[in-house]
Amino acid sequence: MVRPSNLDVLQHFQLQAPKTFSATGVSSTVDLHGLEGDLVVTVSATPIGSSTAKMMLRLEQSETTKAEDFEEIFDMQNMVESSLPDLLNESYFRQVIVKTDAAMRYLRLNIYNVVGNPSTVLCATAVAVKKNG
């Protein structure tokens, strides 16, 4: 019997390829179907270039892929272990854990509020365990 390696059971997602943001925007949508346990989302970004500017981030979920159906998931039924602080003028690296069994089917990252004139290169990835069989 051939046993899968630990890496074979992991699913990696690129929520947002490295991209320069200076305004609001949303990442790709991740389908959580077929995953179990925790989804670890990692967000990293460069300093935004201004001490008076900031960008606000949040993870959102939906049962559909329609933009208008997505809603914030922070602090809802303990689905997320930590939240994403605002992007300020410093290097940014944060991880958030989403409980896949308590979340809706689809997940995305949203830059939903921009103050001042920021500019940052942001990227986001996620990794989770595939359901068995």
Side-chain angles (χ1 to χ4, degrees):
M1 180 172 134
V2 177
R3 296 188 70 188
S5 73
N6 290 343
L7 295 178
D8 291 339
V9 298
L10 294 178
Q11 178 69 49
H12 178 265
F13 303 94
Q14 184 168 295
L15 276 171
Q16 179 60 61
K19 177 181 172 182
T20 300
F21 283 91
S22 57
T24 59
V26 295
S27 71
S28 307
T29 300
V30 170
D31 187 349
L32 301 180
H33 180 72
L35 303 176
E36 63 184 353
D38 294 341
L39 175 82
V40 179
V41 177
T42 303
V43 180
S44 60
T46 59
I48 61 175
S50 169
S51 62
T52 59
K54 71 178 177 180
M55 300 175 109
M56 297 176 192
L57 305 175
R58 66 181 176 209
L59 287 173
E60 297 177 333
Q61 65 178 352
S62 177
E63 288 297 343
T64 74
T65 56
K66 294 179 188 173
E68 63 272 11
D69 291 344
F70 279 86
E71 60 187 44
E72 186 173 11
I73 65 172
F74 293 148
D75 302 322
M76 292 173 56
Q77 304 164 358
N78 297 318
M79 285 192 299
V80 177
E81 288 192 3
S82 62
S83 61
L84 291 167
D86 297 344
L87 281 171
L88 301 171
N89 196 25
E90 57 191 34
S91 295
Y92 188 92
F93 181 85
R94 299 292 186 274
Q95 288 186 316
V96 176
I97 298 173
V98 177
K99 308 293 184 187
T100 60
D101 58 342
M104 292 181 187
R105 181 167 180 175
Y106 299 98
L107 180 83
R108 73 179 185 184
L109 177 68
N110 186 355
I111 300 173
Y112 68 96
N113 193 8
V114 175
V115 177
N117 295 306
S119 180
T120 185
V121 176
L122 179 139
C123 66
T125 60
V127 65
V129 175
K130 298 175 192 175
K131 283 187 179 173
N132 213 355

